[in-house]
Amino acid sequence: MNKTKRLLVAGAMMAGFAGTLTAPAVAAPAVAGDASIAAQCGKTYRISQPFGQSTFKVTCKSGTLTIRGYVKDTKADGKCVWVVGQVGNKSFRSGKACPKGKSVSYAATGKGNRLVIGLRAA
């Protein structure tokens, strides 16, 4: 997905976030597995899909948004799981977590307050 489309991504992940996302979703869906949220500083979020999960905390300081978290492979399917997204004005991709049970931590920082994040598996 190109950078422009990624900026337009929205709440397609509501099923995966059900009961775990406390920030309001914004805009409209683009890619299944991605969600754009109005990130709230100091909040912790969790994304779950049948193949993996990610938990991350959002922090803010002087117009800079930072997320720190981990991604975990939760399915013995021979695939790896990773997180992709946009934090403020920066795109990022976590390392791959595999096999089942393996976790990988990640962090990303960017200027602004927009957060687009999604889980991938392959």
Side-chain angles (χ1 to χ4, degrees):
M1 173 171 28
N2 69 34
K3 190 172 183 177
T4 303
K5 285 184 182 176
R6 194 175 299 122
L7 289 172
L8 298 174
V9 170
M13 184 74 180
M14 288 306 106
F17 280 140
T20 60
L21 180 65
T22 56
V26 295
V31 174
D34 288 353
S36 175
I37 63 172
Q40 294 183 13
C41 303
K43 295 274 186 175
T44 299
Y45 300 91
R46 180 181 169 128
I47 302 169
S48 293
Q49 288 288 342
F51 53 83
Q53 67 184 32
S54 178
T55 299
F56 59 93
K57 183 171 184 171
V58 177
T59 57
C60 308
K61 184 176 181 182
S62 303
T64 300
L65 179 68
T66 300
I67 64 169
R68 294 184 199 292
Y70 73 90
V71 60
K72 182 177 182 179
D73 187 344
T74 60
K75 188 173 184 180
D77 57 6
K79 296 179 180 179
C80 296
V81 179
W82 65 95
V83 174
V84 295
Q86 179 100 17
V87 176
N89 63 342
K90 303 273 177 121
S91 295
F92 78 96
R93 178 179 170 159
S94 74
K96 292 182 177 181
C98 50
K100 181 182 178 183
K102 168 111 184 201
S103 292
V104 174
S105 24
Y106 63 89
T109 300
K111 295 280 186 191
N113 65 358
R114 181 152 179 133
L115 174 59
V116 179
I117 192 164
L119 284 175
R120 301 288 187 268

